[in-house]
């Protein structure tokens, strides 16, 4: 019973508040001078935002300054450079959209050449290759790949972030991953 009464009271108060706002909007719409009408709307918006802030103190709301008719040209003059800078930033963002990956790809190396320092074989027959620069790579495929210490090999990027190792002297390549 109390809940029903409380709900009815809240609905009645909110309906009256909406009626008051609609009445003020109608008054603002009736003003013929454009600048005065704008000031009326700004004042109405500021009064609504102030009541929102007092009713709900947890959410910060930015209140725009009210522009009076005398200060209108100055406000437009200071807003013009800001608008131009914002438009330039927006076009820069639009020009760069979707090009991030391409720019990253332009600055990367697709293929490196290394000299084999040592070769080890695990229990499954996969090669573990240590190169002269300290990098350690492991074969991920279970294919036979012949390699000798001191041989010059290349490692190149493949699809989906994988790498292929091969030699210039033959057409065979094997998939590898870097351990160290």
């Amino acid at each position: 019973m109390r809940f029903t009464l409380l709900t009815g009271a809240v609905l009645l108060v909110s309906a009256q508040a909406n009626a008051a706002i609609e009445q003020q909007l109608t008054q603002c719409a009736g003003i013929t001078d454009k600048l005065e009408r704008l000031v009326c709307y700004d004042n109405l918006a500021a009064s609504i935002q102030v009541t929102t802030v007092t009713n709900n103190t947890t959410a910060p709301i930015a209140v725009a300054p009210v522009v009076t008719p005398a200060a209108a040209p100055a406000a437009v003059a200071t807003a013009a450079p800001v608008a131009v800078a914002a438009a330039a930033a927006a076009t820069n963002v639009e020009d760069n959209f979707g090009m991030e990956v391409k720019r990253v790809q332009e600055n990367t190396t697709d293929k490196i050449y290394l000299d084999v320092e040592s070769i080890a074989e695990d229990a499954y027959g996969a090669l573990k290759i240590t190169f002269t620069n300290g990098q350690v790579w492991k074969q991920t495929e279970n294919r036979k790949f012949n390699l000798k210490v001191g041989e010059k090999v290349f490692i190149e990027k493949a699809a989906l972030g994988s790498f292929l190792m091969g030699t210039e002297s033959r057409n065979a390549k094997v998939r590898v991953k870097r351990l160290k």
Side-chain angles (χ1 to χ4, degrees), residues 109-128:
T109 305
D110 292 335
K111 191 176 196 179
I112 60 172
Y113 289 88
L114 303 167
D115 293 322
V116 178
E117 184 177 295
S118 66
I119 302 170
E121 195 171 310
D122 67 2
Y124 300 104
L127 299 177
K128 184 176 176 183

Side-chain angles (χ1 to χ4, degrees), residues 49-180:
Q49 289 177 350
V50 169
T51 57
T52 304
V53 170
T54 57
N55 289 341
N56 186 4
T57 57
T58 59
I61 297 175
V63 179
V66 176
V67 179
T68 60
V76 170
T78 58
V82 173
V84 170
T91 57
N92 190 22
V93 169
E94 290 173 357
D95 291 341
N96 292 331
F97 184 76
M99 296 298 288
E100 298 87 6
V101 174
K102 187 166 188 145
R103 287 203 178 93
V104 169
Q105 289 175 350
E106 289 173 356
N107 297 330
T108 60
T109 305
D110 292 335
K111 191 176 196 179
I112 60 172
Y113 289 88
L114 303 167
D115 293 322
V116 178
E117 184 177 295
S118 66
I119 302 170
E121 195 171 310
D122 67 2
Y124 300 104
L127 299 177
K128 184 176 176 183
I129 305 115
T130 304
F131 294 102
T132 54
N133 66 354
Q135 292 183 4
V136 179
W137 292 75
K138 182 178 181 179
Q139 179 181 357
T140 58
E141 295 178 327
N142 57 0
R143 296 186 325 171
K144 181 72 175 162
F145 189 76
N146 294 328
L147 197 60
K148 298 176 186 170
V149 175
E151 194 171 3
K152 189 172 195 81
V153 298
F154 64 84
I155 298 178
E156 63 184 0
K157 289 184 179 179
L160 302 172
S162 64
F163 297 92
L164 293 173
M165 181 178 65
T167 61
E168 295 292 338
S169 61
R170 61 181 177 221
N171 199 16
K173 296 179 187 175
V174 66
R175 199 165 303 276
V176 293
K177 72 174 182 176
R178 186 170 177 179
L179 300 177
K180 178 180 170 192

Side-chain angles (χ1 to χ4, degrees), residues 6-94:
L6 183 63
T7 304
V10 168
L11 288 175
L12 183 62
V13 169
S14 66
Q16 290 175 350
N18 282 339
I21 292 171
E22 288 176 7
Q23 183 181 15
Q24 290 174 345
L25 283 171
T26 305
Q27 288 174 352
C28 289
I31 298 173
T32 56
D33 185 31
K34 293 178 183 179
L35 189 57
E36 288 180 23
R37 184 171 53 243
L38 177 62
V39 169
C40 179
Y41 283 131
D42 287 343
N43 291 336
L44 179 60
S47 69
I48 291 171
Q49 289 177 350
V50 169
T51 57
T52 304
V53 170
T54 57
N55 289 341
N56 186 4
T57 57
T58 59
I61 297 175
V63 179
V66 176
V67 179
T68 60
V76 170
T78 58
V82 173
V84 170
T91 57
N92 190 22
V93 169
E94 290 173 357

